[in-house]
Amino acid sequence: GEVAGARERLEHLPGAVGVSGVQRQGGDAAFSDVVVAARPPLLHPRVAWLDLDSQVNFALARCRVQDLVAEYEDFWCQLFEHLVRQEAEDVAKRAQETGASLQPPRVCLVGAGHAGIYALRAARALREWSAAQAEAQGGDVGMIESLVMLAPTWHTPRSGLFANLSPEIASKWIGSTLHSDSRLAKIFQSSHFSARRFRRHFAHARSPGEERLKAIAEWLFRRPRPFVQTDAAVMSGLLDPATAGDSGKLAAEIVAVAEELPGGVLVISADVDGKSHPSVSLVSELAGKGGGRV
């Protein structure tokens, strides 16, 4: 019931989140943990490029590309704060209806890739904010008990004609080219929106419901949007987590958050050869710090 209610609410959010229940036995009764997992926003079926999206487009197009990371970090904080409050309200409502004493839900955040770092920072920011507020206002954030980071990365490799430009300038040129009607721009657009490029970035190949997700993703991939602040910003690395290029600093962040969360932090690293991969250097740094509750 808890998981079904959470899933129903998540389906109406304009972001991209999924929820699943993990049934465990604890003490004399069974309880369900709520696991909130991030997935690529590209595939969310509720997003439609209609009147509301036109307003979002207008606001997004006015945002400076160098401010996108800060806006994105704020978005993650708002999303998690909304989820835990809704979970607390749902449990309180059911307790009132049944007259039973229900345990508060325990939330585990799961983030993959860049999302793992954004989730890490959102969890820490929310707990710091909660500690500074009155208990009645910020206590719900305490339901976040643990965090899982799947193969965390923080660097977008740049290639092509614009790789030698600064990210801000490259984003402007790439976005302008995607909006242009010139012959050269049409060549670039045909490559950017090609089926080959789509298949390379489609993250749900060979997964359950692939055909449905693929149809939705293809439609969303071709919808009108401000390319400077979306596609071009991503290709230029402007949505890479801020100041996360230093694996030592990131490891220190993870250890600090793990000490604050009752369930700690689980880091699942990619199995790769060579020490140049970000997750490999991160694991080395974590091992050097003793791990703690990681």
Side-chain angles (χ1 to χ4, degrees):
E2 294 178 10
V3 173
R7 182 180 292 110
E8 182 178 356
R9 286 193 297 276
L10 290 172
E11 289 297 328
H12 293 84
L13 288 175
V17 289
V19 65
S20 61
V22 181
Q23 192 75 12
R24 299 180 181 176
Q25 298 291 331
D28 298 328
F31 61 88
S32 292
D33 291 345
V34 177
V35 181
V36 180
R39 70 173 186 248
L42 177 66
L43 303 180
H44 197 277
R46 296 288 179 176
V47 178
W49 215 249
L50 302 175
D51 292 340
L52 177 61
D53 297 301
S54 298
Q55 298 175 16
V56 173
N57 263 358
F58 177 75
L60 184 59
R62 299 181 63 187
C63 182
R64 298 188 304 173
V65 291
Q66 56 265 39
D67 295 331
L68 287 174
V69 167
E71 294 289 342
Y72 201 39
E73 289 179 348
D74 288 343
F75 162 77
W76 280 87
C77 290
Q78 293 172 28
L79 175 63
F80 290 157
E81 193 268 345
H82 169 78
L83 289 174
V84 295
R85 283 187 183 277
Q86 289 295 316
E87 285 300 317
E89 292 174 4
D90 191 41
V91 171
K93 182 179 178 180
R94 288 200 304 275
Q96 186 177 7
E97 292 174 349
T98 61
S101 178
L102 300 179
Q103 294 182 349
R106 302 194 298 178
V107 178
C108 172
L109 305 178
V110 182
H114 284 42
I117 301 177
Y118 282 113
L120 173 81
R121 292 176 175 173
R124 186 174 193 181
L126 282 175
R127 293 184 71 86
E128 290 176 352
W129 172 80
S130 177
Q133 301 296 315
E135 183 176 351
Q137 295 178 336
D140 296 338
V141 177
M143 294 190 307
I144 300 178
E145 290 214 349
S146 57
L147 169 67
V148 178
M149 302 177 68
L150 305 176
T153 60
W154 52 82
H155 176 67
T156 299
R158 298 176 59 193
S159 60
L161 299 175
F162 304 102
N164 294 324
L165 301 177
S166 69
E168 293 80 6
I169 296 177
S171 178
K172 179 180 178 180
W173 277 97
I174 293 173
S176 300
T177 304
L178 290 174
H179 281 295
S180 176
D181 291 327
S182 67
R183 290 185 179 181
L184 183 60
K186 289 186 180 298
I187 296 174
F188 183 78
Q189 292 166 15
S190 64
S191 173
H192 182 77
F193 295 108
S194 66
R196 178 183 178 183
R197 181 180 178 83
F198 175 84
R199 289 193 301 267
R200 188 175 65 184
H201 292 283
F202 182 60
H204 294 268
R206 297 182 296 279
S207 64
E210 176 185 354
E211 291 302 320
R212 178 181 62 85
L213 294 174
K214 184 177 180 181
I216 296 170
E218 286 178 339
W219 173 67
L220 292 175
F221 184 55
R222 298 181 181 280
R223 75 192 189 278
R225 54 189 179 273
F227 292 115
V228 175
Q229 288 81 8
T230 53
D231 300 50
V234 172
M235 294 168 63
S236 303
L238 289 170
L239 281 182
D240 289 3
T243 66
D246 189 327
S247 57
K249 292 182 179 179
L250 180 58
E253 285 188 64
I254 294 174
V255 171
V257 173
E259 292 298 327
E260 298 173 2
L261 296 177
V265 176
L266 172 63
V267 179
I268 302 178
S269 173
D271 185 11
V272 294
D273 295 327
K275 298 183 178 180
S276 60
H277 193 277
S279 62
V280 174
S281 58
L282 175 61
V283 169
S284 299
E285 291 289 345
L286 288 172
K289 294 180 181 296
R293 294 174 57 83
V294 180

